[in-house]
Amino acid sequence: MASIDIASRSGGAITRVLRRGGAGLGPARRRAAIALPTSSRRHLSTAQSLPPTYEKLFNKYTDVRRVLGKQRLTLAEKILYSHLDNVEESLLTDTDNGRSIRGKANLRLKPDRVNMQDASAQMALLQFMSCNLERPAIPASIHCDHLIVGSKGAADDLEAGIQTNKEVFDFLESAARKYGMDFWPPGAGIIHQTVLENYALPGLMMLGTDSHSPNAGGLSTVTIGVGGADAVEALVGAPWELTAPKIIGVELTGKLGDWVAPKDVILRLAGELSVRGGTGSIIEYFGSGVDTLSCTGMATCCNMGAEVGATTSIFPYTDASARYLASTGRTQATRNIDALQNFPGAGADRDAYFRFQADEGAQYDHVIQIDLSKLEPRINGPFTPDFATPLSKFKDVAREKQWPEALSAGLIGSCTNSSYEDMTRVESLLKQAADAGLKPASDFYVTPGSEQIRATLERDGTLETIESAGGILLSNACGPCIGQWKRQDGVTKGTKNAILTSYNRNFAGRNDGNPETMNFLASPEVVTAMAFAGSTTFNPMTDTLKTPDGRDFKFAPPRGLEGPQTPFEAGEPSLGVLSQEPDPSAQIAISPTSDRLAFLEPFPAFPDSELSGLRVLVKVTGKCTTDTISAAGPWLKYKGHLPNISTNTLNTAINAETGEVNAAYDLDGTKHTIPELAQRWKERGQEWLVVAEHNYGEGSAREHAALQPRYLGARVILVKSFARIHQTNLKKQGVVPLTFANEADYDRIAAGDIVATVGLYDMLRNGGQGDVHVKVTKEATGEEFLIPTNHAISKDQAGFILAGSALNLLSKGL
């Protein structure tokens, strides 16, 4: 690594945060920072009344209508297809002249912007730097939200987090200054909430380096979670590829009743679809019930669409959407939207209008109907977000399965449920309990989603209610939701316990590193009420609590406000966005002695032959998420240092042949951890593959889960099925993802077996066309046999793999 002097930097955003009260951006400058991009404006006399972004959208939409004629489109398809680089090429190639687009067309898309959180931004920026560009081709933002540990409380945790991660934050800020990206300092808020408040607009298409980026679909955007290499594609101006998703329609009717929250819509849907049911699909909500939901409630549903594997989720634009835009200082956006939806004027064909709703007669691949009036609160978990239990049955299920009845902690907030509406509904319960003399029986943590939310709640007295009830206010950051939680209650690793959270994901060990912690997902209201009971078997809809004076107390249904009665507060000025033009003179802050940041070395190109002599490193059984492949929590500190973070690779995977966790065996029979054996094989030049089961790479859009195996010598991952984002990440890093054509062949292959590919090289040279087999030679007997496989490698992706990685091509401007 080259030594880079950072002594010339002064007065950066991190310093401003530590000073708590330094000069920040005022409201006017913040509004300027979120102005719509003006690049690529096409001046047409028919569209001069539209702002540049919507003019561009309208022009592309006109092309889509020209190509597809009277074909009915869903809202997601309207927005997605209106961001195609070449409409005819994408929609008419191999699609029966546009009649069979879903699941077949290879969409080459031009997103409007990219948003990155600090853990994933490190590697994305390191890759972008390798492309030697002066600025990104589209607007981008960096959000420092993942590296703050929740522990003692907001102020202490933020200060400790800044001190611990200063070199990473300095690096991110210096890169933002150099390349002209927006920089949101630590404490400013969680990426998805900040994006919803500042950048999301109906009709935009955005990429986010986090699996829960679809949160912005609550404001009618198509927002897709991706890995860092995907983000770099968009940042350099290259088209971003996506197989045209199928569309799952969710028809909402009725209106939510007492105790039922928007969170219960997605908890119920997760139970129906499972963690794989949305793979390869967009979830689009429609129906009369949509109009009864708040904008942030819709965002909650879209956020957790990631838990069913959906590419993204989206809602139509409603009156609630307009109210949210106005309350977040974007009234002009509502006028722009009205102009678009009413353009080009009376008397035109209905298809000439761009409306933020599905066409009448649009068809969905599958429709799920949910009557909100009949919906019951649900609790999902433990260990998977799709095991859904109605609240009325949870007590019996918990006792039948012998889950802990004592609730050790209740945690609300996060990017999923930290809205003003969520918090004021919780406030109504806290006030009831306070009037009855009750305090939470379990530890009770609250995480605001952004400084704007926190400041507004403080202004309106909600924070005072929370703190008076004994709630522990954490920093405006991800915290316990993504494993950044230092527990203060004495629950140690290995201790079986239960927590209730309003989060989105609950894999084993995710929140506190303890695989015995059972995390049950519910709405903030249900979590809060059960925290007062200190019990997982309490039902606030029917059960009572004893007050200190011996009376029976029963919660009345929660009530709250959709949004503040006056516009949101901006909050602490030092937590405002740093937004500026690129500064080529800015020096990137990476120390040559850092153990947290390291420049990237390019991966070698694919050999001019088939792969041969590969060995199966480990055969994995059961759920193998990106948390399994590359754990978060304490490992987040190494996100910018590939050699260091690679030492956690697959360290919670279960060996299918021995049942052991994080155990692999060398060819001489010696036992090692999985990353240790991978490193040993890397050092002796032994390339390898992993064999695994269904939905491999489920969970976070964690690019490191592809980078780390590649760095250690993986060439192939052979599984029963993949999660979408991870499969794409593997291809971008030059790892070949293959699935068993016959799932039973999983049982025929074992650790240590010798593997060679048959047809892979020709398939790659033919741009993804052709079949691939793997030839397996049994180590013990020498027996050989062929296993047929399937792949989903496009022409461009074949080029990435042949080059060694997508970055190897992008850095050459190809």
Side-chain angles (χ1 to χ4, degrees), residues 21 27 372 438 639:
L372 301 179
L438 293 171
K639 284 284 190 177

Side-chain angles (χ1 to χ4, degrees), residues 179-399:
Y179 299 115
M181 301 178 183
D182 282 3
F183 178 77
W184 294 85
I190 304 173
I191 178 173
H192 311 306
Q193 182 62 35
T194 305
V195 166
L196 190 70
E197 293 171 354
N198 295 274
Y199 301 121
L201 285 173
L204 295 191
M205 181 192 169
M206 303 189 290
L207 301 183
T209 60
D210 190 282
S211 58
H212 293 105
S213 298
N215 186 80
L219 201 46
S220 296
T221 78
V222 168
T223 307
I224 301 175
V226 298
D230 292 275
V232 173
E233 268 190 292
L235 290 173
V236 303
W240 178 75
E241 283 192 323
L242 177 71
T243 300
K246 296 184 177 181
I247 312 292
I248 297 173
V250 179
E251 183 179 14
L252 303 181
T253 57
K255 184 178 182 179
L256 297 174
D258 290 343
W259 284 103
V260 188
K263 179 65 163 275
D264 295 305
V265 176
I266 187 60
L267 292 177
R268 187 263 201 205
L269 192 61
E272 179 162 344
L273 287 174
S274 84
V275 292
R276 291 192 288 142
T279 302
S281 300
I282 291 176
I283 297 174
E284 180 169 318
Y285 294 85
F286 69 100
S288 59
V290 168
D291 292 323
T292 69
L293 300 178
S294 66
C295 179
T296 51
M298 294 187 282
T300 291
C301 296
C302 292
N303 181 296
M304 269 197 72
E307 294 355 297
V308 299
T311 301
T312 192
S313 300
I314 193 167
F315 275 84
Y317 178 75
T318 69
D319 289 344
S321 311
R323 291 193 295 271
Y324 184 76
L325 286 170
S327 69
T328 52
R330 294 176 286 174
T331 302
Q332 180 58 48
T334 64
R335 292 191 280 268
N336 294 341
I337 293 162
D338 289 342
L340 173 63
Q341 293 199 114
N342 291 298
F343 188 87
D349 184 273
R350 62 178 179 171
D351 286 348
Y353 291 90
F354 191 107
R355 297 281 170 79
F356 289 106
Q357 60 188 29
D359 289 338
E360 185 177 350
Q363 297 295 306
Y364 297 93
D365 294 283
H366 175 51
V367 174
I368 297 172
Q369 295 177 322
I370 299 178
D371 184 344
L372 301 179
S373 303
K374 297 179 181 178
L375 190 63
E376 181 182 348
R378 273 168 170 72
I379 298 178
N380 287 26
F383 305 137
T384 186
D386 61 346
F387 187 67
T389 305
L391 178 59
S392 62
K393 298 179 180 178
F394 191 77
K395 179 189 300 185
D396 294 336
V397 173
R399 287 174 175 167

Side-chain angles (χ1 to χ4, degrees), residues 118-139:
D118 50 357
S120 55
Q122 296 171 61
M123 193 57 66
L125 289 170
L126 288 167
Q127 293 177 86
F128 178 74
M129 286 160 52
S130 300
C131 298
N132 299 311
L133 297 177
E134 291 185 359
R135 67 188 305 159
I138 58 177

Side-chain angles (χ1 to χ4, degrees), residues 4 34 77 79 83 99 187 213 389 411 414 428 471 491 500 525 557 626-627 662 739 744 766:
I4 297 181
I34 62 171
E77 289 175 312
I79 298 174
H83 284 84
R99 286 185 285 271
S213 298
T389 305
L411 303 97
S414 83
S428 73
V491 175
L500 225 70
E525 303 94 297
T626 50
D627 278 325
N662 194 22
T739 58
N766 290 329

Side-chain angles (χ1 to χ4, degrees), residues 83-103:
H83 284 84
L84 288 168
D85 184 43
N86 184 309
V87 173
E88 288 192 25
E89 179 183 16
S90 283
L91 296 184
L92 299 183
T93 303
D94 299 325
T95 64
D96 190 22
N97 201 36
R99 286 185 285 271
S100 300
I101 294 172
R102 297 176 191 171

Side-chain angles (χ1 to χ4, degrees), residues 662-698:
N662 194 22
Y665 292 81
D666 208 341
L667 303 179
D668 61 4
T670 56
K671 180 179 177 180
H672 304 272
T673 68
I674 297 174
E676 284 174 352
L677 183 59
Q679 181 64 35
R680 285 170 66 94
W681 284 12
K682 172 183 170 66
E683 290 170 356
R684 66 188 191 218
Q686 174 62 64
E687 295 182 322
W688 47 271
L689 71 153
V690 167
V691 175
E693 297 195 85
H694 277 299
N695 214 27
Y696 184 86
E698 170 191 345

Side-chain angles (χ1 to χ4, degrees), residues 510-525:
R510 178 176 176 87
N511 303 110
D512 59 359
N514 178 10
E516 295 298 321
T517 294
M518 297 183 180
N519 179 3
F520 297 94
L521 307 174
S523 69
E525 303 94 297

